[in-house]
């Protein structure tokens, strides 16, 4: 049985994925412990943050019709802008293409998923979705990686 979580945000640590499709790669000294808040509002979600050496990005999700749309409010939903299409698929593609790294000399990038709808029902959709990307996700069980 999957344990239900009582909070509304989940932090998923993605084991690095090279960002070869971005306009510039961050040099190791330019990695910043910075967080791209509401990253999906940027012109190039995910890639803007990676191009600037950010090590954390945030996507707000709204559950609608069994899909996780990336938006802050229901009226902001854009058809096709799902967690899978804007973040998980692009990261997984890069993960597969580039040997499992986002930045060559940096181990992880954090993807924060902020639930804007009911935590239990949203997680019920997120959990099986994440199983499709299990090999790129860092997971802890009982405090063990």
């Amino acid at each position: 049985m999957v344990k239900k979580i009582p909070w509304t945000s989940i932090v998923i640590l993605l084991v690095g994925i090279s960002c070869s499709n971005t306009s510039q790669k961050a040099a190791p000294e330019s990695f910043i412990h910075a967080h791209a808040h509401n990253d999906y509002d940027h012109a190039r979600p995910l890639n803007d943050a990676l191009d600037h050496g950010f090590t954390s990005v945030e996507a707000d999700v709204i559950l609608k019709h069994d899909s996780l749309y990336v938006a802050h409010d229901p009226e902001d939903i854009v058809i096709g802008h799902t967690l899978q299409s804007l973040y998980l698929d692009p990261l997984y593609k890069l993960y597969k293409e580039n040997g499992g790294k986002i930045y060559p000399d940096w181990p992880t990038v954090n993807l924060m998923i902020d639930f804007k709808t009911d935590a239990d029902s949203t997680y019920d959709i997120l959990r099986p979705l994440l199983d499709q990307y299990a090999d790129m996700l860092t997971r802890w069980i009982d405090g063990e990686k």
Side-chain angles (χ1 to χ4, degrees):
M1 178 173 177
V2 173
K3 182 180 176 183
K4 299 292 182 172
I5 51 174
W7 55 86
T8 58
S9 294
I10 297 174
V11 174
I12 300 170
L13 300 179
L14 300 175
V15 177
I17 303 139
S18 291
C19 55
S20 63
N21 71 338
T22 57
S23 62
Q24 67 183 55
K25 288 187 181 180
E29 61 275 2
S30 68
F31 293 145
I32 50 178
H33 298 282
H35 176 72
H37 184 253
N38 296 341
D39 177 71
Y40 54 87
D41 281 338
H42 294 247
R44 297 171 50 243
L46 181 62
N47 289 321
D48 280 347
L50 295 179
D51 281 352
H52 290 92
F54 281 40
T55 57
S56 179
V57 295
E58 177 183 332
D60 294 341
V61 296
I62 295 173
L63 175 61
K64 182 176 181 181
H65 305 302
D66 291 334
S67 292
L68 296 175
Y69 289 95
V70 178
H72 193 272
D73 296 301
E75 61 270 14
D76 297 331
I77 289 175
V78 175
I79 300 302
H81 285 193
T82 63
L83 180 65
Q84 192 166 7
S85 69
L86 291 181
Y87 293 92
L88 296 174
D89 283 347
L91 288 169
Y92 195 71
K93 181 177 186 274
L94 292 169
Y95 172 82
K96 288 298 192 181
E97 290 175 353
N98 297 298
K101 289 284 193 177
I102 292 173
Y103 300 115
D105 298 315
W106 195 258
T108 61
V109 166
N110 299 323
L111 172 60
M112 177 190 259
I113 301 171
D114 187 353
F115 293 178
K116 296 301 181 186
T117 46
D118 174 70
D120 287 339
S121 58
T122 303
Y123 188 74
D124 286 345
I125 298 299
L126 178 63
R127 181 69 225 140
L129 179 62
L130 292 179
D131 288 341
Q132 298 174 39
Y133 306 93
D135 57 326
M136 86 168 168
L137 300 177
T138 302
R139 185 173 176 184
W140 286 267
I141 298 174
D142 296 328
E144 298 292 325
K145 186 173 180 181

